[in-house]
Amino acid sequence: MRRTALLCVCALLAVPALAQTKLNGAGATFPNPIYSKWFSEYHKLHPDIEINYQSIGSGGGIRQVIAGTVDFGASDGPMTDDQLKEAKMKILHFPTVLGADVPAYNIPGVNAELKFTPDALAGIFLGKITKWNDKALTGPNPGVSLPDRDIIVVHRSDGSGTTYIWTDYLSKISPEWQSQAGKGTSVKWPVGLGGKGNEGVAGSIRQLQGSIGYVELIYAVQNNISYGSVKNAAGNFVKASLESVTAAAASAPKMPADFRVSITNAPGKDAYPISSFTWLLIPAQAKDASHSKILADFLNWMLTDGQRMTAALSYAPLPEGVVQKEKEAIKQVR
């Protein structure tokens, strides 16, 4: 009797472990802070479901979802037509939040918020502007004593959606950048040092005096790194914020049916010019139908309760029109 009772207890204890469902995803570091929050909160609502996410960069996320080694991917740059064709299944793009790349810098003795023109940013990353006291930088920043110091450029070393956003912007405002480096999750950098992930670039900027690099807004905020405003297409210097990122989305081209859209260099007078959506990459039909059901449920939760958590982590929520379009698109996940 005692042995039978013990076996029954063991069987009961084993049930939760057997019922646990784990989903695996990988990709962009840009939205990792909000994704970590979302997956944790969703798990609290559904203790039997665990969503594991590896912040490895958009390039890695795209590769893994194409290979079918994860349940979903994540990217700050939409997949190309060729990448979608390479996948063994139909991949859907679902915008999750809006964010911004910011020019973050570490200049000893300079505490002012710098203003950057498009030409100055392109010149720095092309390696043509090499000193902090170059007139391309001193001109827009009267009254700021910029030093005669070498500029150290920091960029991503891994395949990165943050890089895609940055280079997409540079390609729009600089024909020379477009012809020399172009846009992509990985490009041939004319100059600079590489750092892995937004975390690696932010860490390098903090350590290297005289450095400048690009990171997602939350990484600059969390690491207490100075970042500047950027002159937008309307001619106004605008700093990244929830409001200016939202303004970029509002003035950008109409959202296409597949949600693959670029909103860099948006025309609005209040638009921050290096803004972007970020996407979850979801197979329309998973190998395990139960996983598709979970992903569809998570997406619907993300579009409602999840959106209310964005501002605390310096992301802008999705426009209502995009939310409604996505709710229809989720029906394709089955």
Side-chain angles (χ1 to χ4, degrees):
M1 287 290 290
R2 186 178 298 173
R3 184 180 180 186
T4 301
L6 183 60
L7 288 172
C8 289
V9 170
C10 290
L12 288 170
L13 290 174
V15 169
L18 292 172
Q20 186 81 16
T21 301
K22 291 187 178 182
L23 274 68
N24 295 307
T29 65
F30 180 102
N32 186 46
I34 187 66
Y35 287 180
S36 296
K37 174 70 172 176
W38 281 347
F39 297 147
S40 174
E41 292 300 318
Y42 190 78
H43 178 64
K44 290 177 185 177
L45 295 172
H46 305 277
D48 57 326
I49 297 169
E50 183 178 346
I51 303 177
N52 297 316
Y53 181 72
Q54 297 296 315
S55 174
I56 62 172
S58 296
I62 290 172
R63 285 192 299 273
Q64 290 203 25
V65 79
I66 287 174
T69 56
V70 291
D71 294 291
F72 65 92
S75 178
D76 308 319
M79 293 174 66
T80 64
D81 290 344
D82 286 343
Q83 288 170 335
L84 287 172
K85 290 175 184 176
E86 188 182 346
K88 300 173 183 177
M89 73 294 288
K90 183 178 180 181
I91 304 295
L92 302 172
H93 286 66
F94 288 97
T96 54
V97 290
L98 289 153
D101 277 11
V102 298
Y105 51 88
N106 175 357
I107 313 171
V110 176
N111 297 316
E113 176 190 306
L114 296 184
K115 295 178 178 179
F116 294 94
T117 64
D119 287 345
L121 289 175
I124 289 170
F125 281 82
L126 282 166
K128 297 177 69 174
I129 297 174
T130 61
K131 294 282 188 179
W132 278 110
N133 64 346
D134 189 288
K135 62 182 180 181
L137 296 169
T138 58
N141 294 284
V144 180
S145 181
L146 289 168
D148 180 14
R149 187 182 190 118
D150 289 340
I151 296 174
I152 301 172
V153 174
V154 184
H155 56 72
R156 290 284 288 273
S157 60
D158 52 329
S160 157
T162 310
T163 292
Y164 180 91
I165 297 164
W166 191 256
T167 58
D168 180 47
Y169 169 72
L170 292 180
S171 293
K172 288 181 180 179
I173 56 87
S174 170
E176 186 175 358
W177 179 273
Q178 170 62 30
S179 63
Q180 186 169 335
K183 67 178 179 180
T185 54
S186 295
V187 298
K188 186 176 180 180
W189 294 98
V191 67
L193 307 172
K196 188 175 181 180
N198 271 287
E199 303 92 338
V201 173
S204 293
I205 295 169
R206 288 191 67 181
Q207 293 171 16
L208 299 172
Q209 295 186 346
S211 61
I212 183 172
Y214 57 94
V215 293
E216 204 282 326
L217 175 59
I218 187 61
Y219 290 88
V221 172
Q222 287 182 339
N223 288 278
N224 197 29
I225 300 172
S226 298
Y227 60 96
S229 58
V230 181
K231 191 174 185 180
N232 68 11
N236 300 319
F237 284 97
V238 178
K239 193 169 185 180
S241 67
L242 300 182
E243 294 76 18
S244 62
V245 172
T246 301
S251 67
K254 185 179 178 182
M255 178 65 76
D258 65 3
F259 300 104
R260 293 188 296 161
V261 67
S262 166
I263 62 170
T264 56
N265 208 35
K269 64 182 179 67
D270 299 318
Y272 179 70
I274 321 179
S275 300
S276 180
F277 289 97
T278 188
W279 296 262
L280 284 177
L281 310 174
I282 309 289
Q285 191 166 7
K287 297 174 184 177
D288 186 329
S290 67
H291 287 199
S292 288
K293 185 177 180 181
I294 291 169
L295 286 170
D297 184 72
F298 170 79
L299 289 170
N300 278 302
W301 176 86
M302 176 272 292
L303 291 172
T304 52
D305 293 355
Q307 291 299 300
R308 291 191 280 272
M309 303 176 188
T310 59
L313 290 171
S314 299
Y315 297 95
L318 297 170
E320 185 56 33
V322 175
V323 169
Q324 294 308 316
K325 284 186 177 183
E326 286 194 64
K327 286 182 177 180
E328 283 300 308
I330 290 170
K331 296 175 183 177
Q332 299 178 61
V333 180
R334 58 188 185 278

